[in-house]
Amino acid sequence: MTTIVSIQSSVAYGHVGNSAAVFPLQRLGVEVWPVYTVHFSNHTGYGAWRGPLLAAEDVRAVITGMEEREAFPEVDAVLSGYQGGSQIGDVILDAVARVKAANPSAIYACDPVMGNAKSGCFVHPDIPVLLRERVVPQADLITPNQFELGFLTGTEPETLEDTLAAVDLARAMGPSTVLVTSVLRPDRPADTIEMLAVHGEEAWIVQTPQLPMKANGSGDVTAALFTAHLLNSGRPDEALAKTVSSVYALLKRTLDSGRRELRLVQSQEEIAHPAMEFVPTRVH
């Protein structure tokens, strides 16, 4: 059984961070050990929230407690998303080092959350520097959107060729696998969006309709599903197809519901048994 330590935020209402990642992973049959960095009432996109931001040492204590149970040899991956501060980044990197010491075949999957093309960079100014200089070089798999890929590599990718070149720069930093979400190349058909996966010598792209919505937590679901599917199959095309098919079904159900929060529980069958509606095309 695949086992993933997921170090992310938690919310009581809605689905972001671990509150978006844990349930889909469990529906895939993955053993998930969630470590919380915050426990808020709701995600911060509402403009108001309540609850504690956990101190870095408290997060570290939880991880140390798991290590004391001699659990780390079982771990196949450490997964992280939004990092609220540099101290949490240090804790995550330390956890990755300890897990890999116990299981050298374990991977670190990092979603380098910084912003998007519409909103720009929305994290503390220290975070992009931390991600670029210290976190990404330690990662085996990263899942940036196209904007974040450009930020990491000092480029402005637009075309497919630009994006593939930026992925090469990102892989030269350390990660062997890159999943680029929200690829918006200028020559794509109207009202479509793409996702690109590069792993080993292969690069695959898949296209879906672009739904008229903003869905907090969809990136967290995407990173979790792709990590699990790639661990299970080792095939980037299969992992990409399953991930995109599940995420599109989730987003479509959410849009149709008229609700702001992801319809995660209601979409569990599409997560566990994706319809494979979208077929990737090899581009390298």
Side-chain angles (χ1 to χ4, degrees), residues 116-199:
N116 56 57
K118 283 189 178 180
S119 306
C121 200
F122 52 61
V123 298
H124 188 279
D126 291 346
I127 299 302
V129 178
L130 169 74
L131 289 169
R132 184 172 57 241
E133 296 183 359
R134 296 187 53 219
V135 177
V136 168
Q138 297 300 316
D140 301 285
L141 162 63
I142 59 172
T143 61
N145 59 38
Q146 193 175 27
F147 170 85
E148 291 162 341
L149 175 67
F151 215 100
L152 287 172
T153 57
T155 63
E156 295 183 1
E158 291 186 357
T159 66
L160 177 59
E161 291 73 22
D162 292 342
T163 306
L164 286 167
V167 167
D168 287 341
L169 292 173
R171 294 177 81 196
M173 297 166 67
S176 57
T177 305
V178 179
L179 176 72
V180 188
T181 64
S182 303
V183 175
L184 298 167
R185 53 176 166 165
D187 59 341
R188 73 192 190 280
D191 301 318
T192 64
I193 191 167
E194 294 170 310
M195 199 176 294
L196 172 72
V198 182
H199 175 76

Side-chain angles (χ1 to χ4, degrees), residues 5 150 254:
V5 172
T254 302

Side-chain angles (χ1 to χ4, degrees), residues 6 8 16-26 32 79 217 220-221 224 264:
S6 184
Q8 301 195 57
V16 300
N18 267 336
S19 302
V22 172
F23 177 68
L25 289 171
Q26 289 172 331
V32 192
L79 173 65
D220 302 320
V221 175
L264 197 65

Side-chain angles (χ1 to χ4, degrees), residues 1-283:
M1 178 179 288
T2 300
T3 299
I4 294 177
V5 172
S6 184
I7 309 173
Q8 301 195 57
S9 59
S10 170
V11 294
Y13 174 76
H15 300 288
V16 300
N18 267 336
S19 302
V22 172
F23 177 68
L25 289 171
Q26 289 172 331
R27 281 298 277 125
L28 293 181
V30 173
E31 179 75 29
V32 192
W33 301 340
V35 177
Y36 302 126
T37 55
V38 309
H39 187 55
F40 288 164
S41 55
N42 51 270
H43 69 69
T44 58
Y46 286 94
W49 63 93
R50 295 178 183 271
L53 172 70
L54 299 181
E57 287 310 306
D58 290 335
V59 179
R60 190 188 304 272
V62 171
I63 294 166
T64 299
M66 290 193 295
E67 184 179 35
E68 289 169 347
R69 304 286 78 75
E70 300 182 352
F72 284 175
E74 299 176 40
V75 177
D76 298 293
V78 177
L79 173 65
S80 72
Y82 170 74
Q83 298 188 14
S86 58
Q87 290 182 319
I88 290 295
D90 290 335
V91 172
I92 292 170
L93 289 176
D94 181 57
V96 169
R98 288 198 256 172
V99 165
K100 288 192 170 190
N103 179 11
S105 65
I107 69 165
Y108 172 33
C110 170
D111 184 6
V113 179
M114 289 181 280
N116 56 57
K118 283 189 178 180
S119 306
C121 200
F122 52 61
V123 298
H124 188 279
D126 291 346
I127 299 302
V129 178
L130 169 74
L131 289 169
R132 184 172 57 241
E133 296 183 359
R134 296 187 53 219
V135 177
V136 168
Q138 297 300 316
D140 301 285
L141 162 63
I142 59 172
T143 61
N145 59 38
Q146 193 175 27
F147 170 85
E148 291 162 341
L149 175 67
F151 215 100
L152 287 172
T153 57
T155 63
E156 295 183 1
E158 291 186 357
T159 66
L160 177 59
E161 291 73 22
D162 292 342
T163 306
L164 286 167
V167 167
D168 287 341
L169 292 173
R171 294 177 81 196
M173 297 166 67
S176 57
T177 305
V178 179
L179 176 72
V180 188
T181 64
S182 303
V183 175
L184 298 167
R185 53 176 166 165
D187 59 341
R188 73 192 190 280
D191 301 318
T192 64
I193 191 167
E194 294 170 310
M195 199 176 294
L196 172 72
V198 182
H199 175 76
E201 300 300 314
E202 300 178 28
W204 297 82
I205 197 164
V206 65
Q207 188 176 92
T208 71
Q210 185 174 14
L211 297 171
M213 63 185 299
K214 177 185 177 183
N216 294 88
S218 58
D220 302 320
V221 175
T222 300
L225 291 179
F226 186 79
T227 299
H229 287 310
L230 189 65
L231 283 171
N232 182 56
S233 70
R235 291 181 49 188
D237 55 332
E238 181 179 323
L240 183 61
K242 287 183 174 179
T243 299
V244 168
S245 296
S246 290
V247 171
Y248 181 81
L250 167 63
L251 293 178
K252 183 68 165 59
R253 185 183 295 269
T254 302
L255 179 64
D256 291 346
S257 75
R259 302 289 294 271
R260 177 170 180 173
E261 295 291 343
L262 292 174
R263 301 288 89 190
L264 197 65
V265 175
Q266 295 85 344
S267 303
Q268 60 181 290
E269 281 305 310
E270 289 90 344
I271 290 168
H273 306 290
M276 303 297 279
E277 183 179 354
F278 302 102
V279 179
T281 301
R282 187 165 182 174
V283 291

